[in-house]
Amino acid sequence: MPPAHQATLATPAVDAAPPDDCLARNDWICGAYLDTRRHILVDAVVQHLQITAIAVAIALVIAVPLAVVARRWGWAAGPVLALTTVLYTIPSLAMFSLLLPAYGLSATLVVAGLVLYSLTLLVRNILAGLRAVPEETRQAARGMGYGPIRLLLTVELPLALPAAMAGLRIATVSAVSLVTVGAIVGYGGLGNLIYSGMNTYFKAQVLTASALCVVIAVVADVLLLGVGRLLTPWTRASRS
Amino acid sequence: MKTIADAWDWLADASHWAGDDGIWHRLAQHLVLTVVCLVVSCLIALPIALVLGHLGKGGALAVNISNVGRAVPTFAVLVLLLLTPLGQYGEGPTVVALVLFAVPPLLTNAYVGMRGVDRGVVQAARGMGMTGKQMLLRVEAPLALPMIMNGVRIAAVQLVATATIAALAGGGGLGRIITAGFNLASTPQVVAGAFLVAVFALLVEGLFEIAERFAPSWARGSG
């Protein structure tokens, strides 16, 4: 059955595809691709979202204490900022490779790499936010009998929220696009589809996966913008 | 610890430094790729940013391009270009993808720097009868130089880092040592390659730091 064999060459998984559909022609935009590979795309998107969300969440959990420490003890600020900046300078491909001995070929490896990248952006922004809290505000809170912990949790951190959210948005958008490089170890979410699409010259897959990456980044950015507004109602009140 | 020792042994092996797949050749490829992309990006971004900054128009555009640029994975752009007819031209797709990646920080920093120039100084220059071109080249651009150079530095370091991605798409450069290591399942080679790239990126960062330290005071923005 030579015709069916030819169709399999161009479109590996669809044996029954008629030879003149967009998969066989290897078009950039292809509805049949979306129909036949929906589960593959959904799996890739889920992996992409999981890796991004877990990495940014862990980075946030580590960044807040680091920023607080750097704010409270001035001498700590220099080393903390220098270390996170150096980590940010290391190329993503190199970062994933350097962590390879520690984590092996796993999703944890990609998450660990992304955590280290997000740290720089988050620590810098949270620290800037904490430093921007007016001294009078802190003194007023102390005058009202607030202890250091209560001052931090109820006054300083909420006031640092806008700057922190700005950092979180940048970190998240960068992480979404960096996950694709994780394809080198097989855990790149949509990057896996781009990587395999490159090797098989499968245009529809590469374009669809790339477009989905950008859509995820934009949606995440808008969502975080909305969350930031909900969390800081006072910034809107003062603007109007 | 054993992996680090093995990676060190890999680096110490003289045969890994010579030849077409050797470290020196990959380093030269990486350097050429980075420099070409940086020069092309500067030639595209800086004139636009300087003119927009001088006219005071298009600020939102300059800043938004930078944010959009962050959301687009360079790897995806590279692969997309590779599958277009442009893919036939060797390193063409890599250069285009990297230039698209480096233009946003250059554009934003140069624009912000130009707008940050003291308006009083600009008005004084106009009062002295300078033409728009003279003001741009002799007053605004020199005063904005620290911010412009900051953009160049960010772009250069990120280019060194991102140029490794070219190797994923079969291009040259230091990234090739890492991807070759993955294909050979040789962890020492992968770690050694990663180490080389990281050192190269930090070296470039350090070079800009030194250049800034030795620059005349007016170019540092402190004088």
Side-chain angles (χ1 to χ4, degrees), chain A residues 169-230:
Chain A
R169 285 174 59 196
I170 300 175
T172 308
V173 169
S174 307
V176 169
S177 93
L178 269 180
V179 170
T180 55
V181 181
I184 182 80
V185 293
Y187 293 89
L190 291 161
N192 288 353
L193 297 184
I194 299 174
Y195 199 37
S196 65
M198 175 185 77
N199 292 328
T200 54
Y201 221 79
F202 194 170
K203 290 177 179 173
Q205 176 161 310
V206 171
L207 183 65
T208 312
S210 306
L212 279 174
C213 277
V214 178
V215 169
I216 291 177
V218 172
V219 169
D221 196 42
V222 171
L223 276 181
L224 285 173
L225 181 70
V227 170
R229 289 197 168 198
L230 285 178

Side-chain angles (χ1 to χ4, degrees), chain B residues 3 5 33-35 37 41 52-53 64 74 83 88 90 94 114 116 139-140 152 158 167-168 176 180 190 193 208:
Chain B
T3 318
L33 191 61
T34 312
V35 170
C37 291
S41 313
L52 286 180
N64 280 329
T74 312
L83 299 189
Q88 297 158 6
T94 313
M114 287 293 283
V139 180
E140 290 174 301
V152 174
Q158 291 190 345
L168 285 177
R176 198 62 179 269
V190 170
F208 274 92

Side-chain angles (χ1 to χ4, degrees), chain A residues 23 34 40 50 58 133-134 136 138 173 180 188 195 205 227 237:
Chain A
L23 279 172
L34 291 178
I40 299 178
Q50 277 176 341
I58 295 175
V133 175
E136 305 92 76
R138 287 152 36 93
V173 169
T180 55
Y195 199 37
Q205 176 161 310
V227 170

Side-chain angles (χ1 to χ4, degrees), chain B residues 50-179:
Chain B
L50 291 185
V51 170
L52 286 180
H54 174 70
L55 298 172
K57 284 176 185 157
L61 181 79
V63 174
N64 280 329
I65 283 181
S66 191
N67 292 335
V68 173
R70 229 190 286 271
V72 182
T74 312
F75 176 51
V77 176
L78 176 58
V79 174
L80 280 175
L81 290 170
L82 203 67
L83 299 189
T84 62
L86 190 71
Q88 297 158 6
Y89 297 96
E91 301 280 331
T94 313
V95 172
V96 174
L98 289 178
V99 165
L100 285 176
F101 170 80
V103 161
L106 286 169
L107 202 62
T108 309
N109 272 276
Y111 181 85
V112 171
M114 287 293 283
R115 296 315 294 163
V117 173
D118 190 343
R119 288 298 102 190
V121 176
V122 176
Q123 279 170 7
R126 183 172 293 143
M128 287 167 67
M130 279 191 175
T131 63
K133 195 178 162 195
Q134 284 172 325
M135 273 162 45
L136 171 64
L137 292 179
R138 294 196 201 163
V139 180
E140 290 174 301
L143 285 173
L145 197 61
M147 275 297 283
I148 297 173
M149 286 313 292
N150 191 36
V152 174
R153 170 188 181 153
I154 293 172
V157 174
Q158 291 190 345
L159 272 178
V160 170
T162 314
T164 49
I165 291 177
L168 285 177
L174 286 171
R176 198 62 179 269
I177 295 174
I178 298 174
T179 51

